[in-house]
Amino acid sequence: MKKKLMSVLLAGTMVLSLVACGKTTADTTTSDSTDATATQTDADATQPADASGSKDAIRLVNGKPEINGQLNTLAAKYKEETGNEVVIETIGGDQKASDALKGYYQAGNMPDIFFVESNDIPDWEGKLVDLAGEQWTEDTDSELVVNGVTVGFPYSVEATALGYNKELLDKAGIDPSTLTSPAAWKEAVEKLDSMKDELGITAVFGWCTEPSNLGWSSGTHVFGQYLDAGLAYDDTKYIDLLNDGGQIDENRMKAFAEFIDMMNQYSDPDLVIDGNYDSQVAGFAEGKYVFVTQGNWIAPNILANDNYNGFEMGFAPYAFEDGIDTIIGGVPNFWAVYADGNVDGAKAFLQWCSEDTAQQILVEEAALISPYTDCKYTSDAPFAASIAQYISAGKLSYWHTMEKKSGLEDKTSVVFNQFAQGALDVDSFVSTMGQVIASYYAK
């Protein structure tokens, strides 16, 4: 199925020149909305739903704060077209969204639709609706199927690597397409650092390892580069090794650690240890950092930043070994339907979300990449053209980081933070990471 997703994305790229419109299987931010009442946090997740919503309203818990405003636009359009109400409740960003969802469940306050990652599914066993046979499944190859049950509605394909500011690289005379080896990266980073005053930057990297609220970034997305960077789309060697009792390839992990060590050394010291997501993304949008450790999901935040000057941006690979020239992409999370909620209403809304009106909002306004083959909209959002180029060149590695044991990011993110603080060197990072992972899998 992963090959099929890749071929669908590639076909869309060839036809549209931009990634806009693609069955993922598994074996087992600051809100930009003006409607503050539609956003919940960990602290109030146990409270009743937005009082402005009617008793029959569908509740959707969104884990992507950067599109909160656009999802409220989506909900308003749905009510306009159907008369049915959807209340958007947003969590995430500097919170661990999956923990907030558990708070909803424990309080008996579950929404009708909520986001899941593939490795979260065991936590919700018996609580999700089988969506097999829904009309939208005919228009995508990206639904989440677990043990033969369709449990996840895909709403966006995402990609992650090192986002770059092309304007700054051009000023420094650096071609990002050459950044495919540790030596090339070292040379480029040292040159950029020597030109900080001339370029007007604070640091080369906008990289943040704060583990309590941003562990999802280092422990999932950056750690995912160790698992998949440079691999063919269907290559599972390192995720298979990881899921076989928590094993790592020490040679690859050491090369990865040396690359992260470089990032630590050339990152903003006010950000790298205890910074936050908003500061990281805002710093990149404002030209303070040449590179940022996030994915295309930060596009809405960048566009909403008053100090963004419109610079072109793209992705460069985490080339911690010679020849790494891919970025990581796939469907990172899905919308699932709670079995004890308003199932019929939720299904109707998801079907509508796969259709024309909703797809236009999700692609053109929320800057998402559609996984639906009949989507006719393209995005000119930051990173879209760069992603298209990687896909058309066959340089996309799969998003296996979502298939690791659930909760592992809580442990690995702490190791990243210790490394950034200087408590670990390269060798002790490798040994500590190996010990922490093996111990977690042994539980």
Side-chain angles (χ1 to χ4, degrees):
M1 292 301 180
K2 293 168 187 173
K3 287 183 178 178
K4 196 171 182 182
L5 173 60
M6 178 68 169
S7 65
V8 170
L9 286 172
L10 179 57
T13 301
M14 293 171 66
V15 171
L16 299 172
S17 299
L18 278 176
V19 184
C21 316
K23 268 163 188 142
T24 299
T25 61
D27 293 331
T28 9
T29 85
T30 297
S31 168
D32 56 0
S33 173
T34 56
D35 181 8
T37 62
T39 303
Q40 289 189 316
T41 65
D42 284 338
D44 61 7
T46 59
Q47 300 303 311
D50 181 358
S52 66
S54 70
K55 185 177 71 172
D56 296 326
I58 297 296
R59 291 173 57 212
L60 186 154
V61 168
N62 162 47
K64 294 177 65 62
E66 61 270 18
I67 61 168
N68 179 59
Q70 292 87 346
L71 289 185
N72 276 283
T73 298
L74 191 78
K77 191 66 175 178
Y78 185 65
K79 185 173 183 179
E80 176 187 323
E81 291 194 357
T82 69
N84 298 317
E85 186 172 10
V86 175
V87 174
I88 306 298
E89 300 170 26
T90 291
I91 54 182
D94 280 339
Q95 314 166 55
K96 188 177 181 188
S98 59
D99 286 345
L101 276 172
K102 292 173 185 176
Y104 275 82
Y105 181 74
Q106 291 165 357
N109 185 38
M110 282 298 291
D112 303 291
I113 302 170
F114 61 98
F115 63 95
V116 295
E117 296 172 358
S118 58
N119 60 1
D120 292 332
I121 298 304
D123 295 337
W124 301 102
E125 186 174 0
K127 302 178 181 69
L128 304 181
V129 173
D130 186 354
L131 301 172
E134 292 296 299
Q135 183 180 335
W136 58 263
T137 63
E138 299 299 315
D139 299 320
T140 183
D141 292 303
S142 304
E143 65 263 39
L144 178 61
V145 181
V146 180
N147 294 332
V149 180
T150 302
V151 293
F153 173 92
Y155 60 94
S156 178
V157 175
E158 294 184 347
T160 182
L162 282 159
Y164 62 77
N165 179 326
K166 188 175 184 299
E167 180 179 291
L168 292 173
L169 290 180
D170 287 347
K171 286 181 180 179
I174 295 170
D175 180 354
S177 69
T178 66
L179 300 177
T180 58
S181 71
W185 267 102
K186 183 175 185 294
E187 180 180 354
V189 167
E190 290 177 349
K191 183 176 184 180
L192 289 163
D193 186 66
S194 72
M195 298 176 65
K196 281 197 300 185
D197 291 342
E198 180 181 344
L199 296 174
I201 61 174
T202 302
V204 178
F205 293 98
W207 156 228
C208 184
T209 68
E210 192 284 319
S212 298
N213 299 310
L214 265 177
W216 56 268
S217 179
S218 60
T220 295
H221 299 138
V222 177
F223 179 78
Q225 302 295 330
Y226 156 76
L227 293 174
D228 286 304
L231 300 189
Y233 199 71
D234 57 355
D235 192 334
T236 63
K237 69 177 70 172
Y238 297 112
I239 186 64
D240 290 344
L241 188 65
L242 187 75
N243 287 334
D244 185 14
Q247 300 180 68
I248 64 169
D249 182 302
E250 291 190 356
N251 291 331
R252 182 174 169 90
M253 184 63 78
K254 183 171 182 177
F256 174 69
E258 290 170 345
F259 192 91
I260 299 300
D261 189 42
M262 176 187 68
M263 287 169 45
N264 290 340
Q265 292 178 42
Y266 292 96
S267 289
D268 182 353
D270 292 332
L271 178 72
V272 67
I273 295 173
D274 57 6
N276 59 55
Y277 177 81
D278 292 341
S279 297
Q280 180 189 28
V281 177
F284 178 70
E286 294 164 9
K288 295 178 181 179
Y289 312 128
V290 183
F291 299 101
V292 67
T293 58
Q294 291 292 343
N296 66 294
W297 53 84
I298 66 175
N301 300 60
I302 292 171
L303 295 173
N305 190 299
D306 291 338
N307 294 315
Y308 169 55
N309 70 3
F311 62 82
E312 184 181 343
M313 60 195 73
F315 282 129
Y318 282 72
F320 54 86
E321 295 178 333
D322 289 344
I324 289 181
D325 59 357
T326 68
I327 63 173
I328 290 175
V331 180
N333 57 68
F334 304 79
W335 287 341
V337 175
Y338 185 53
D340 292 332
N342 183 344
V343 173
D344 290 341
K347 284 183 174 181
F349 177 68
L350 292 183
Q351 177 57 42
W352 181 84
C353 283
S354 74
E355 296 171 356
D356 188 78
T357 299
Q359 286 296 297
Q360 183 173 17
I361 295 171
L362 291 171
V363 172
E364 294 187 346
E365 297 187 32
L368 301 183
I369 300 171
S370 176
Y372 291 91
T373 55
D374 58 350
C375 176
K376 63 186 182 183
Y377 301 101
T378 62
S379 173
D380 58 0
F383 302 113
S386 182
I387 295 171
Q389 290 169 2
Y390 277 100
I391 291 176
S392 64
K395 300 296 185 180
L396 194 69
S397 299
Y398 190 65
W399 198 293
H400 288 111
T401 189
M402 299 303 183
E403 297 175 15
K404 64 188 184 304
K405 186 175 180 180
S406 181
L408 178 63
E409 65 276 5
D410 295 339
K411 307 300 181 184
T412 56
S413 60
V414 173
V415 183
F416 279 107
N417 189 246
Q418 292 171 337
F419 195 21
Q421 291 183 51
L424 302 173
D425 60 16
V426 166
D427 289 335
S428 56
F429 173 87
V430 174
S431 60
T432 302
M433 191 67 81
Q435 292 164 8
V436 164
I437 293 172
S439 176
Y440 190 76
Y441 269 84
K443 293 180 180 180

